[in-house]
Amino acid sequence: MDFSFGPADSAFREGARAWLAQHTPRGGQPGYWERELGRGGWIGIGWGETAYGNRSAGLTQQVVWAEEYARAKAPPRTGHIGENLLAPTLLAHGTPAQKARFLPPIARGEELWCQGYSEPGAGSDLAGIRTVARRDGDTYRITGQKIWTSLAHEAQWCFVLARTEEGSRRHHGLSFLLVPMDQPGRIEVRPIRQMTGTSEFNEVFFDGAEARAEHLVGGEGNGWQVAMSLLALERGVSTLAQQIGFAAELERVVAQAVSGRAPGAGADPLDPVLRARLVAQWAELKVMRWNALRTLGGSGDAGAPSVAKLLWGGWHRRLGELAMAVRGTAAAVGPYDWDESRPYELDPLQHLFLFTRADTIYGGSDEIQRTIIAERVLGLPREVRVP
C-alpha cells in the first residue's frame, strides 16, 4: 500500500493536537475521559458512518489521531473493546435495531464492553469453548465460565461466544451473543490478581438458570464467522499508537542505561552486549512501524495479523527483560523500603518487566499465531487436534 500523508491530514493533525492539548486530563476517572472523547466526536472515527454522533476520518487521519493521542500522553482507553472490536462487528453483521441500540452509547463513551472468548479449558483455542447458551423463548440462558476477560469488572456489556447447538464440536454450532453484565446473582466477576499487583483481567461465571442474553448477532450458529471477522480487527490502526507508547518506554530504558554510569547504579552502559541489545530494540521498533504501515488497510492477507502479534509481543517482552538488564542488581529492589502497612508496589520498569511476560500469551499465544501462519499462509498440513 502506498501510504502517505497529505495537506488534509496535516490540518486534521493540527485540529486533533489542539483538542487534545485543551481537553486531555492529568488525572480523574477513566469514565469521565471516555465521555469527554464522546462529546468531542472522537470515538468511532474509523466506523465509516457518522449517524451515531461520531466524526468520520479516513485511514491516514485515523493514524494521525492515534499518533497524536499517544504523543499527548492521554489516559489509557477503557472503551477500546466497544469502539474498535464490537462496533465494526455490528456494522458488518448487526441488525439496524442492534446498531441503533448499541452504537450511540459507545460513541458517547457511556457504555463499556468486555470480550467473553477465552475459557479455562480452551485458552487460545477458540473453537474449543464449552460455554453453552440454550434458547428460552426470545432469550438465551447461558451456562459456563470465561477467563482473562479484560475490564469485566467495569463493563456494562459483554459479547460472548457460546455453543447454541447441542452436541456440536469445534467451530460448528457457535453463536455470538450480547450479554448485559448487570445481572446480580446470575453473573459473577472475580478479578485475577497478577504479578504486578493489579487486576485488569477477570474470571466471569454465568449461572445457566438465570443468566440471560436477548441479542444474537449474525444469526444462530454463525458465531464462528462473526468471531473471526472481529479478531481481524484487533491488529489495526491502534498498533501504531501502541508503537509510540513502546518508543516512550524504550526511551526510558535507554535513559536508565545512560544513568548507569554512576557507580552501583546499574549495568555498564559501555558494555558492548548491552549496547547491541539497545540498538537492536530500536531497529526492530522501526521495522514494526513500517510493517504496520505496509499492511494497514490491506485485506486478504491471512497471516498479517498473526505476524504483527508475533512481532510486537516478542519485542515488548524483550524490552521488559532489557529494562531489568540495564538496572543490574538494583532491578531486584523495590521503590520503597519494606513496610507491612504499605501495599505491594513496583516502579515503572519493574511493572513493565512483569506485565510483558504475558505479551506472548494473551490475544492469542505465539504458538497459535505460528499455527495460523503455517496452515493458512504456508499451506502446511493442519495440526492434528484431539476431539
Side-chain angles (χ1 to χ4, degrees):
M1 177 182 179
D2 183 12
F3 193 95
S4 58
F5 298 100
D9 301 317
S10 298
F12 184 89
R13 185 184 297 277
E14 291 178 5
R17 185 173 295 175
W19 189 92
L20 286 164
Q22 181 178 356
H23 294 272
T24 299
R26 299 306 172 192
Q29 297 298 318
Y32 163 80
W33 177 235
E34 290 297 318
R35 292 189 295 273
E36 186 70 11
L37 287 170
R39 283 189 287 269
W42 293 107
I43 298 177
I45 64 174
W47 291 354
E49 298 183 19
T50 58
Y52 310 105
N54 56 305
R55 303 173 187 238
S56 180
L59 190 58
T60 54
Q61 292 176 343
Q62 294 172 49
V63 173
V64 166
W65 169 252
E67 292 179 340
E68 292 303 321
Y69 190 95
R71 289 195 177 102
K73 295 182 172 58
R77 292 290 309 281
T78 56
H80 161 77
I81 294 174
E83 177 187 7
N84 297 320
L85 299 184
L86 178 70
T89 302
L90 287 180
L91 288 168
H93 302 282
T95 65
Q98 288 171 342
K99 296 175 188 179
R101 163 60 186 87
F102 293 109
L103 294 181
I106 294 175
R108 293 193 298 266
E110 294 174 352
E111 289 185 348
L112 301 180
W113 286 78
C114 59
Q115 177 177 354
Y117 275 15
S118 297
E119 297 186 5
S124 295
D125 182 14
L126 192 57
I129 68 171
R130 292 178 291 183
T131 294
V132 172
R134 293 288 177 256
R135 181 180 286 277
D136 182 9
D138 293 333
T139 66
Y140 288 85
R141 295 177 181 268
I142 305 174
T143 304
Q145 176 188 357
K146 298 294 182 177
I147 198 167
W148 310 122
T149 310
S150 301
L151 303 178
H153 58 300
E154 298 180 0
Q156 289 86 30
W157 287 85
C158 181
F159 50 89
V160 174
L161 198 62
R163 203 164 289 282
T164 50
E165 181 182 331
E166 190 171 358
S168 62
R169 295 169 52 189
R170 301 301 298 166
H171 59 276
H172 302 288
L174 299 173
S175 294
F176 191 97
L177 301 166
L178 309 183
V179 183
M181 295 294 287
D182 186 16
Q183 300 189 51
R186 304 174 181 180
I187 298 178
E188 181 183 0
V189 177
R190 299 179 188 173
I192 300 173
R193 186 174 174 85
Q194 300 149 223
M195 290 190 296
T196 57
T198 57
S199 302
E200 294 93 348
F201 304 118
N202 305 267
E203 295 178 281
V204 181
F205 297 85
F206 300 96
D207 179 352
E210 297 292 343
R212 293 176 179 267
E214 298 179 2
H215 301 277
L216 172 70
V217 178
E220 188 171 296
N222 295 324
W224 182 256
Q225 290 77 13
V226 177
M228 290 300 99
S229 68
L230 183 148
L231 287 174
L233 299 167
E234 288 191 300
R235 331 274 191 241
V237 172
S238 60
T239 60
L240 290 167
Q242 177 191 57
Q243 290 166 17
I244 294 174
F246 287 171
E249 291 175 336
L250 177 58
E251 288 176 6
R252 189 179 299 126
V253 173
V254 171
Q256 180 66 53
V258 172
S259 69
R261 293 177 185 274
D268 179 4
L270 300 180
D271 180 280
V273 174
L274 179 61
R275 290 166 65 90
R277 290 177 64 183
L278 290 167
V279 170
Q281 205 76 22
W282 175 86
E284 290 167 7
L285 184 59
K286 294 294 184 182
V287 171
M288 282 198 296
R289 173 175 171 77
W290 288 112
N291 181 67
L293 291 173
R294 179 183 64 84
T295 59
L296 199 62
S299 61
D301 186 348
S306 294
V307 169
K309 176 58 170 62
L310 284 171
L311 285 174
W312 76 253
W315 185 93
H316 205 213
R317 184 169 178 167
R318 291 192 298 276
L319 180 66
E321 295 167 352
L322 187 54
M324 296 298 96
V326 301
R327 297 273 291 276
T329 56
V333 180
Y336 304 105
D337 292 336
W338 173 251
D339 183 345
E340 292 184 0
S341 65
R342 184 187 294 276
Y344 176 75
E345 293 186 61
L346 303 168
D347 65 34
L349 293 185
Q350 290 170 330
H351 185 279
L352 173 69
F353 168 68
L354 291 178
F355 191 85
T356 57
R357 308 311 294 170
D359 281 342
T360 56
I361 302 173
Y362 70 79
S365 68
D366 280 8
E367 292 77 10
I368 291 292
Q369 306 306 333
R370 291 191 177 99
T371 297
I372 291 173
I373 294 170
E375 295 178 354
R376 301 182 188 178
V377 180
L378 301 180
L380 298 179
R382 296 186 66 83
E383 179 184 12
V384 176
R385 293 179 171 87
V386 178

